[in-house]
Amino acid sequence: MIWSPIGRDVFGLEVPVLFGLREDVWALLLSLPVILYSCTIFFAGAVRALRARTLDMMVLVAVAVGSGWLYSLIITLTGGGDVFYEAVTVLASFVLLGHWFEMRARGGANDAIRTLLDLAPPKALVLRDGASVEVPTAEVVVGDLLLVRPGVKIAVDGVVEEGTSEVDESTVTGESLPVHKGPGSPVVGATINANGILRVRATKVGSDTALAQIVQLVQQAQNSKAPGQRLADRAAFWLVFVALAGGAMTLAAWLLATDRSFGAAMLFAITVVVITCPDALGLATPTAIMVGTGLGAQRGVLFKNAVGLETSARIQTVVMDKTGTLTKGEPEVTDVVINGHITEDELLRLVAAVERESEHPLAQALVRYAEANNLATEGAENFENVPGHGAIARVSGHRVAVGNRRLAEREGIDLIEVAQKRDELAATGRTVVIAAVDGRAAGLIGIADAPRGTSATAVQELHALDIEVTMLTGDNQATAERIARQLGIDTVIAEVLPGDKAAKVVELQTSGHKVAMVGV
């Protein structure tokens, strides 16, 4: 454009042509990389479309660029005149810019895929001939027995054959609280074994694992087109006819109705074809998708497909999972109830001393609460972890048991004095931890998953957009309603099994709602 009439007349540029060449010859040389390299995507795409007996954007761009450049080449070789080199190169640049925007948007999804793939551990410990052998995860086969140590990621999907532990499944399911696993329990690849040692029999490997299925869904989304883009493709089919018919009619009109030469008539005909080329169709939709997906990525939102991006404008109801979505996904102490002559600080000091030795999330919540209250704790002796029940230790000469009702029954602790308060806390959705000192129930500690600091604001902003907010959770009704009251949520659907959540969303959709589901 710098050396074209547009550069001189519009931008006021007066740049001398290099090497003393004629202006159109210089423009021809500058256009060669664009036509012979950059535009090959259009020419190849046009050939594929014609072989499929269809017309699309590629055909139209190829016709416009190819005819304009070939006409200019003939004019240059026959002595010079008005040429289209700058027009066809700028046209190609605009359409390629649209492709670049689209690829850039897909690049964000590629980063997401790489992040997902990185969740799977590169190595796994496999038990063979009685010995543990470290092998690449890709070499694990169905039927292999894996040894999974504490703090290590589980390599593939499988079933626990031996051992008990808590497994953090948040990387795959979003559920923050670890899930207790024992013999016969299914486990998912890329989840983290928290404390015990497990022996897991591999049942799904490679592309059959849950993680691989998630990656496949994201890859499919990359290849999807928004309805607006498909509309542009259909419009291009008819625009090819319009462009070619318009060019042919222009050529015929100038030849039959005027005394202008064939060269001049061809100049006007190709001008019509180039102008008719809808480069905006190839640029506008990918640009909009890039901006939408880019802004979403900045806010932690990955669009599964372009259809979802367009559909989001028509949402009427947002259904939200509770744990890890509306709530922080980590337990916090909400209530401390004292029974007997012990003080609250003393109870918390003894409990924290025991729980400091445990890796369970509830134990860590108790320790954090004690530290937040600046309570110094002593060391615990004779610590005993009781999987699925709690923990026992000696602190400052006292035998302290911290856990659930089953642990209290195991220790022979009478819960009559605290039974009513325990039931009240449980009815409000708290997880109740029983603390016993020297064989007597000394207090109760209520623990709950606290709402995120941003959840109430998010619900308010959705309401401002006239969008109804519904909580859909597997937790009990009391817990769900407690969180809903705090956040101002309209509707609560509780005690729903994970496999039934999709059916609940379908029920809302069939009742006429445009539904967005947030969570898992």
Side-chain angles (χ1 to χ4, degrees), residues 198-265:
L198 297 176
R199 283 174 170 77
V200 176
R201 184 72 64 182
T203 57
K204 293 181 180 179
V205 300
S207 60
D208 294 329
T209 63
L211 180 63
Q213 297 298 316
I214 294 173
V215 171
Q216 184 178 358
L217 282 175
V218 177
Q219 289 174 326
Q220 289 172 353
Q222 291 183 34
N223 297 321
S224 67
K225 285 190 176 183
Q229 185 63 52
R230 291 195 293 270
L231 177 62
D233 291 341
R234 289 195 298 271
F237 179 88
W238 296 106
L239 283 170
V240 172
F241 287 113
V242 173
L244 296 180
M249 292 172 61
T250 302
L251 178 64
W254 280 96
L255 288 176
L256 299 176
T258 71
D259 57 355
R260 300 296 290 268
S261 66
F262 178 80

Side-chain angles (χ1 to χ4, degrees), residues 80-333:
D82 293 330
V83 291
F84 289 97
Y85 295 122
E86 80 282 357
V88 297
T89 53
V90 169
L91 173 61
S93 298
F94 270 111
V95 180
L96 286 171
L97 181 62
H99 280 279
W100 180 73
F101 282 157
E102 187 176 0
M103 292 304 106
R104 183 175 176 182
R106 290 186 180 184
N110 286 331
D111 292 340
I113 286 177
R114 282 190 289 270
T115 301
L116 286 171
L117 290 173
D118 288 342
L119 292 176
K123 301 281 188 178
L125 278 179
V126 179
L127 293 172
R128 291 175 179 169
D129 299 326
S132 60
V133 181
E134 188 175 61
V135 301
T137 299
E139 296 181 7
V140 176
V141 298
V142 173
D144 275 344
L145 186 61
L146 280 63
L147 177 65
V148 186
R149 296 193 173 106
V152 174
K153 286 184 178 181
I154 300 171
V156 297
D157 295 3
V159 175
V160 176
E161 287 204 349
E162 184 179 338
T164 59
S165 181
E166 308 292 323
V167 174
D168 180 0
E169 297 184 341
S170 61
T171 53
V172 175
T173 66
E175 181 62 53
S176 58
L177 293 177
V179 180
H180 181 73
K181 301 291 183 181
S185 300
V187 292
V188 180
T191 57
I192 303 172
N193 181 27
N195 41 39
I197 296 177
L198 297 176
R199 283 174 170 77
V200 176
R201 184 72 64 182
T203 57
K204 293 181 180 179
V205 300
S207 60
D208 294 329
T209 63
L211 180 63
Q213 297 298 316
I214 294 173
V215 171
Q216 184 178 358
L217 282 175
V218 177
Q219 289 174 326
Q220 289 172 353
Q222 291 183 34
N223 297 321
S224 67
K225 285 190 176 183
Q229 185 63 52
R230 291 195 293 270
L231 177 62
D233 291 341
R234 289 195 298 271
F237 179 88
W238 296 106
L239 283 170
V240 172
F241 287 113
V242 173
L244 296 180
M249 292 172 61
T250 302
L251 178 64
W254 280 96
L255 288 176
L256 299 176
T258 71
D259 57 355
R260 300 296 290 268
S261 66
F262 178 80
M266 183 61 72
L267 172 65
F268 299 142
I270 293 177
T271 300
V272 171
V273 173
V274 172
I275 291 174
T276 310
C277 182
D279 53 299
L281 282 179
L283 183 63
T285 303
T287 303
I289 291 174
M290 185 204 72
V291 173
T293 54
L295 291 174
Q298 291 174 12
R299 291 160 174 77
V301 179
L302 174 65
F303 286 94
K304 179 181 176 181
N305 53 42
V307 176
L309 180 59
E310 288 195 9
T311 306
S312 62
R314 300 188 293 274
I315 292 171
Q316 297 170 316
T317 301
V318 171
V319 177
M320 292 192 179
D321 185 41
K322 182 183 73 67
T323 306
T325 302
L326 291 169
T327 62
K328 294 179 180 179
E330 62 179 30
E332 291 185 353
V333 173

Side-chain angles (χ1 to χ4, degrees), residues 450-516:
R452 292 181 182 272
T454 55
S455 293
T457 302
V459 172
Q460 291 172 5
E461 292 184 0
L462 288 170
H463 283 158
L465 295 171
D466 293 326
I467 295 175
E468 181 182 349
V469 181
T470 298
M471 179 194 295
L472 181 62
T473 178
D475 277 353
N476 61 70
Q477 191 75 28
T479 300
E481 290 181 352
R482 175 178 62 83
I483 297 295
R485 283 194 299 271
Q486 290 180 260
L487 302 180
I489 289 173
D490 306 299
T491 307
V492 175
I493 305 175
E495 300 178 11
V496 180
L497 296 174
D500 296 332
K501 288 185 177 181
K504 293 294 182 181
V505 172
V506 171
E507 287 181 16
L508 291 171
Q509 290 174 322
T510 53
S511 64
H513 294 260
K514 298 291 184 182
V515 182

